[in-house]
mmCIF file of all heavy atoms in Angstrom:
data_model
loop_
_atom_site.group_PDB
_atom_site.id
_atom_site.type_symbol
_atom_site.label_atom_id
_atom_site.label_comp_id
_atom_site.label_asym_id
_atom_site.label_seq_id
_atom_site.Cartn_x
_atom_site.Cartn_y
_atom_site.Cartn_z
ATOM 1 N N PRO Y 1 117.809 150.624 134.739
ATOM 2 C CA PRO Y 1 118.817 151.612 134.289
ATOM 3 C C PRO Y 1 118.704 152.927 134.987
ATOM 4 O O PRO Y 1 119.744 153.614 135.210
ATOM 5 C CB PRO Y 1 118.527 151.767 132.791
ATOM 6 C CG PRO Y 1 117.084 151.324 132.620
ATOM 7 C CD PRO Y 1 116.942 150.235 133.680
ATOM 8 N N ASN Y 2 117.583 153.272 135.465
ATOM 9 C CA ASN Y 2 117.328 154.657 136.124
ATOM 10 C C ASN Y 2 118.068 154.698 137.492
ATOM 11 O O ASN Y 2 118.419 155.813 137.907
ATOM 12 C CB ASN Y 2 115.915 154.843 136.309
ATOM 13 C CG ASN Y 2 115.203 155.114 134.915
ATOM 14 O OD1 ASN Y 2 115.798 155.592 133.926
ATOM 15 N ND2 ASN Y 2 113.924 154.753 134.786
ATOM 16 N N ASN Y 3 118.183 153.604 138.154
ATOM 17 C CA ASN Y 3 118.787 153.587 139.503
ATOM 18 C C ASN Y 3 120.164 152.982 139.536
ATOM 19 O O ASN Y 3 120.758 152.649 140.477
ATOM 20 C CB ASN Y 3 117.911 152.782 140.410
ATOM 21 C CG ASN Y 3 116.613 153.526 140.725
ATOM 22 O OD1 ASN Y 3 116.540 154.769 140.852
ATOM 23 N ND2 ASN Y 3 115.516 152.860 140.763
ATOM 24 N N TRP Y 4 120.798 152.879 138.345
ATOM 25 C CA TRP Y 4 122.159 152.281 138.224
ATOM 26 C C TRP Y 4 123.185 153.325 138.584
ATOM 27 O O TRP Y 4 123.111 154.463 138.301
ATOM 28 C CB TRP Y 4 122.348 151.897 136.858
ATOM 29 C CG TRP Y 4 123.570 150.979 136.494
ATOM 30 C CD1 TRP Y 4 123.639 149.677 136.608
ATOM 31 C CD2 TRP Y 4 124.895 151.455 136.178
ATOM 32 N NE1 TRP Y 4 124.903 149.255 136.246
ATOM 33 C CE2 TRP Y 4 125.680 150.273 136.055
ATOM 34 C CE3 TRP Y 4 125.472 152.723 136.052
ATOM 35 C CZ2 TRP Y 4 127.072 150.377 135.745
ATOM 36 C CZ3 TRP Y 4 126.833 152.812 135.687
ATOM 37 C CH2 TRP Y 4 127.611 151.680 135.595
ATOM 38 N N ASP Y 5 124.191 152.863 139.435
ATOM 39 C CA ASP Y 5 125.261 153.746 139.880
ATOM 40 C C ASP Y 5 126.582 152.917 139.855
ATOM 41 O O ASP Y 5 126.753 151.920 140.487
ATOM 42 C CB ASP Y 5 124.954 154.158 141.355
ATOM 43 C CG ASP Y 5 125.970 155.144 141.891
ATOM 44 O OD1 ASP Y 5 126.898 155.389 141.220
ATOM 45 O OD2 ASP Y 5 125.732 155.599 143.037
ATOM 46 N N TYR Y 6 127.508 153.514 139.090
ATOM 47 C CA TYR Y 6 128.768 152.771 138.924
ATOM 48 C C TYR Y 6 129.578 152.714 140.160
ATOM 49 O O TYR Y 6 130.497 151.822 140.377
ATOM 50 C CB TYR Y 6 129.626 153.458 137.799
ATOM 51 C CG TYR Y 6 130.385 154.683 138.240
ATOM 52 C CD1 TYR Y 6 131.669 154.623 138.670
ATOM 53 C CD2 TYR Y 6 129.769 155.985 138.077
ATOM 54 C CE1 TYR Y 6 132.363 155.761 139.019
ATOM 55 C CE2 TYR Y 6 130.434 157.152 138.355
ATOM 56 C CZ TYR Y 6 131.792 156.983 138.836
ATOM 57 O OH TYR Y 6 132.451 158.130 139.252
ATOM 58 N N HIS Y 7 129.341 153.537 141.178
ATOM 59 C CA HIS Y 7 130.150 153.457 142.429
ATOM 60 C C HIS Y 7 129.959 152.134 143.191
ATOM 61 O O HIS Y 7 130.891 151.771 143.897
ATOM 62 C CB HIS Y 7 129.672 154.593 143.345
ATOM 63 C CG HIS Y 7 130.048 155.996 142.826
ATOM 64 N ND1 HIS Y 7 129.083 156.710 142.122
ATOM 65 C CD2 HIS Y 7 131.144 156.755 142.954
ATOM 66 C CE1 HIS Y 7 129.761 157.902 141.776
ATOM 67 N NE2 HIS Y 7 130.923 157.935 142.345
ATOM 68 N N LYS Y 8 128.894 151.476 142.892
ATOM 69 C CA LYS Y 8 128.627 150.178 143.509
ATOM 70 C C LYS Y 8 129.727 149.068 143.027
ATOM 71 O O LYS Y 8 130.116 148.221 143.835
ATOM 72 C CB LYS Y 8 127.267 149.632 143.128
ATOM 73 C CG LYS Y 8 126.955 148.180 143.539
ATOM 74 C CD LYS Y 8 125.620 147.787 143.105
ATOM 75 C CE LYS Y 8 125.268 146.336 143.440
ATOM 76 N NZ LYS Y 8 123.910 145.945 142.937
ATOM 77 N N TYR Y 9 130.249 149.334 141.873
ATOM 78 C CA TYR Y 9 131.054 148.252 141.296
ATOM 79 C C TYR Y 9 132.594 148.609 141.318
ATOM 80 O O TYR Y 9 133.449 147.673 141.225
ATOM 81 C CB TYR Y 9 130.660 148.026 139.804
ATOM 82 C CG TYR Y 9 129.209 147.927 139.632
ATOM 83 C CD1 TYR Y 9 128.336 149.004 139.198
ATOM 84 C CD2 TYR Y 9 128.483 146.748 139.994
ATOM 85 C CE1 TYR Y 9 127.028 148.784 139.135
ATOM 86 C CE2 TYR Y 9 127.131 146.570 139.934
ATOM 87 C CZ TYR Y 9 126.430 147.631 139.500
ATOM 88 O OH TYR Y 9 125.019 147.580 139.454
ATOM 89 N N MET Y 10 132.920 149.867 141.379
ATOM 90 C CA MET Y 10 134.366 150.269 141.414
ATOM 91 C C MET Y 10 135.141 149.678 142.516
ATOM 92 O O MET Y 10 136.377 149.279 142.235
ATOM 93 C CB MET Y 10 134.372 151.814 141.480
ATOM 94 C CG MET Y 10 134.041 152.487 140.086
ATOM 95 S SD MET Y 10 134.955 151.872 138.650
ATOM 96 C CE MET Y 10 136.657 152.159 139.215
ATOM 97 N N PRO Y 11 134.653 149.459 143.733
ATOM 98 C CA PRO Y 11 135.524 148.890 144.742
ATOM 99 C C PRO Y 11 136.109 147.449 144.311
ATOM 100 O O PRO Y 11 137.208 147.133 144.638
ATOM 101 C CB PRO Y 11 134.644 148.819 145.952
ATOM 102 C CG PRO Y 11 133.716 149.928 145.775
ATOM 103 C CD PRO Y 11 133.365 150.004 144.282
ATOM 104 N N GLU Y 12 135.270 146.766 143.502
ATOM 105 C CA GLU Y 12 135.633 145.441 143.027
ATOM 106 C C GLU Y 12 136.847 145.607 142.080
ATOM 107 O O GLU Y 12 137.884 144.958 142.130
ATOM 108 C CB GLU Y 12 134.594 144.685 142.443
ATOM 109 C CG GLU Y 12 133.688 143.921 143.458
ATOM 110 C CD GLU Y 12 134.432 142.880 144.187
ATOM 111 O OE1 GLU Y 12 134.941 141.965 143.591
ATOM 112 O OE2 GLU Y 12 134.479 142.961 145.466
ATOM 113 N N LEU Y 13 136.644 146.488 141.081
ATOM 114 C CA LEU Y 13 137.701 146.783 140.097
ATOM 115 C C LEU Y 13 138.979 147.287 140.743
ATOM 116 O O LEU Y 13 140.088 147.054 140.165
ATOM 117 C CB LEU Y 13 137.241 147.677 139.024
ATOM 118 C CG LEU Y 13 136.000 147.131 138.225
ATOM 119 C CD1 LEU Y 13 135.644 148.142 137.118
ATOM 120 C CD2 LEU Y 13 136.302 145.741 137.511
ATOM 121 N N GLU Y 14 138.840 147.961 141.788
ATOM 122 C CA GLU Y 14 140.046 148.607 142.519
ATOM 123 C C GLU Y 14 140.793 147.477 143.273
ATOM 124 O O GLU Y 14 141.947 147.802 143.697
ATOM 125 C CB GLU Y 14 139.609 149.679 143.419
ATOM 126 C CG GLU Y 14 139.182 150.992 142.599
ATOM 127 C CD GLU Y 14 138.467 151.986 143.490
ATOM 128 O OE1 GLU Y 14 138.180 151.713 144.654
ATOM 129 O OE2 GLU Y 14 138.137 153.084 142.982
ATOM 130 N N THR Y 15 140.322 146.259 143.427
ATOM 131 C CA THR Y 15 141.014 145.302 144.074
ATOM 132 C C THR Y 15 142.105 144.641 143.029
ATOM 133 O O THR Y 15 142.951 143.862 143.514
ATOM 134 C CB THR Y 15 140.162 144.113 144.567
ATOM 135 O OG1 THR Y 15 139.575 143.419 143.454
ATOM 136 C CG2 THR Y 15 139.073 144.663 145.484
ATOM 137 N N LEU Y 16 141.994 145.053 141.796
ATOM 138 C CA LEU Y 16 142.957 144.673 140.754
ATOM 139 C C LEU Y 16 144.258 145.438 140.874
ATOM 140 O O LEU Y 16 144.092 146.672 140.990
ATOM 141 C CB LEU Y 16 142.358 144.673 139.339
ATOM 142 C CG LEU Y 16 141.271 143.647 139.006
ATOM 143 C CD1 LEU Y 16 140.555 144.086 137.759
ATOM 144 C CD2 LEU Y 16 141.700 142.282 138.984
ATOM 145 N N GLN Y 17 145.339 144.882 140.738
ATOM 146 C CA GLN Y 17 146.563 145.704 140.437
ATOM 147 C C GLN Y 17 146.423 146.566 139.226
ATOM 148 O O GLN Y 17 146.048 145.985 138.144
ATOM 149 C CB GLN Y 17 147.755 144.758 140.380
ATOM 150 C CG GLN Y 17 147.944 143.800 141.615
ATOM 151 C CD GLN Y 17 148.610 144.573 142.724
ATOM 152 O OE1 GLN Y 17 149.629 145.298 142.568
ATOM 153 N NE2 GLN Y 17 148.134 144.318 144.007
ATOM 154 N N ASN Y 18 146.641 147.778 139.269
ATOM 155 C CA ASN Y 18 146.453 148.607 138.142
ATOM 156 C C ASN Y 18 147.450 149.840 138.158
ATOM 157 O O ASN Y 18 148.060 150.138 139.097
ATOM 158 C CB ASN Y 18 145.099 149.106 137.933
ATOM 159 C CG ASN Y 18 144.581 149.919 139.075
ATOM 160 O OD1 ASN Y 18 144.855 151.166 139.052
ATOM 161 N ND2 ASN Y 18 143.954 149.416 140.086
ATOM 162 N N ARG Y 19 147.544 150.512 137.019
ATOM 163 C CA ARG Y 19 148.433 151.645 136.863
ATOM 164 C C ARG Y 19 147.668 152.958 137.089
ATOM 165 O O ARG Y 19 148.190 154.007 136.768
ATOM 166 C CB ARG Y 19 149.084 151.712 135.533
ATOM 167 C CG ARG Y 19 149.886 150.537 135.179
ATOM 168 C CD ARG Y 19 150.499 150.635 133.708
ATOM 169 N NE ARG Y 19 151.160 149.386 133.360
ATOM 170 C CZ ARG Y 19 150.678 148.261 132.753
ATOM 171 N NH1 ARG Y 19 149.369 148.388 132.446
ATOM 172 N NH2 ARG Y 19 151.392 147.274 132.474
ATOM 173 N N GLY Y 20 146.552 152.861 137.660
ATOM 174 C CA GLY Y 20 145.532 153.976 137.659
ATOM 175 C C GLY Y 20 144.598 153.870 136.601
ATOM 176 O O GLY Y 20 144.998 153.381 135.489
ATOM 177 N N TYR Y 21 143.364 154.336 136.718
ATOM 178 C CA TYR Y 21 142.331 154.105 135.678
ATOM 179 C C TYR Y 21 142.143 155.421 134.857
ATOM 180 O O TYR Y 21 142.298 156.550 135.495
ATOM 181 C CB TYR Y 21 141.025 153.699 136.264
ATOM 182 C CG TYR Y 21 141.078 152.134 136.643
ATOM 183 C CD1 TYR Y 21 140.596 151.753 137.875
ATOM 184 C CD2 TYR Y 21 141.512 151.227 135.843
ATOM 185 C CE1 TYR Y 21 140.517 150.427 138.280
ATOM 186 C CE2 TYR Y 21 141.501 149.839 136.222
ATOM 187 C CZ TYR Y 21 140.991 149.521 137.408
ATOM 188 O OH TYR Y 21 140.980 148.155 137.767
ATOM 189 N N CYS Y 22 141.753 155.373 133.706
ATOM 190 C CA CYS Y 22 141.291 156.453 132.862
ATOM 191 C C CYS Y 22 140.150 155.994 132.018
ATOM 192 O O CYS Y 22 139.806 154.882 131.905
ATOM 193 C CB CYS Y 22 142.482 157.019 131.985
ATOM 194 S SG CYS Y 22 142.909 155.969 130.605
ATOM 195 N N LEU Y 23 139.542 156.943 131.316
ATOM 196 C CA LEU Y 23 138.464 156.698 130.477
ATOM 197 C C LEU Y 23 138.802 156.559 129.000
ATOM 198 O O LEU Y 23 137.922 156.534 128.129
ATOM 199 C CB LEU Y 23 137.433 157.832 130.537
ATOM 200 C CG LEU Y 23 136.773 158.014 131.959
ATOM 201 C CD1 LEU Y 23 135.920 159.320 132.006
ATOM 202 C CD2 LEU Y 23 135.942 156.839 132.364
ATOM 203 N N GLY Y 24 140.121 156.337 128.684
ATOM 204 C CA GLY Y 24 140.555 156.228 127.353
ATOM 205 C C GLY Y 24 140.123 157.395 126.502
ATOM 206 O O GLY Y 24 140.136 158.543 126.953
ATOM 207 N N PHE Y 25 139.683 157.161 125.335
ATOM 208 C CA PHE Y 25 139.187 158.266 124.434
ATOM 209 C C PHE Y 25 137.685 158.523 124.507
ATOM 210 O O PHE Y 25 137.148 159.221 123.605
ATOM 211 C CB PHE Y 25 139.622 157.961 122.976
ATOM 212 C CG PHE Y 25 141.137 157.938 122.798
ATOM 213 C CD1 PHE Y 25 141.896 156.822 123.045
ATOM 214 C CD2 PHE Y 25 141.738 159.082 122.260
ATOM 215 C CE1 PHE Y 25 143.229 156.790 122.713
ATOM 216 C CE2 PHE Y 25 143.139 159.142 122.041
ATOM 217 C CZ PHE Y 25 143.811 158.022 122.285
#
């Protein structure tokens, strides 16, 4: 957990067609 970085995974999620992402509530 100490070396975890979400930037590693976002490129994969960005390959999905989307309306733009948000953090919800």
Side-chain angles (χ1 to χ4, degrees):
N2 292 330
N3 292 319
W4 191 91
D5 184 355
Y6 79 90
H7 293 92
K8 172 182 177 181
Y9 314 99
M10 285 306 302
E12 281 295 303
L13 296 179
E14 287 167 355
T15 67
L16 292 168
Q17 302 280 314
N18 64 82
R19 300 179 184 90
Y21 287 133
C22 73
L23 297 173
F25 292 86

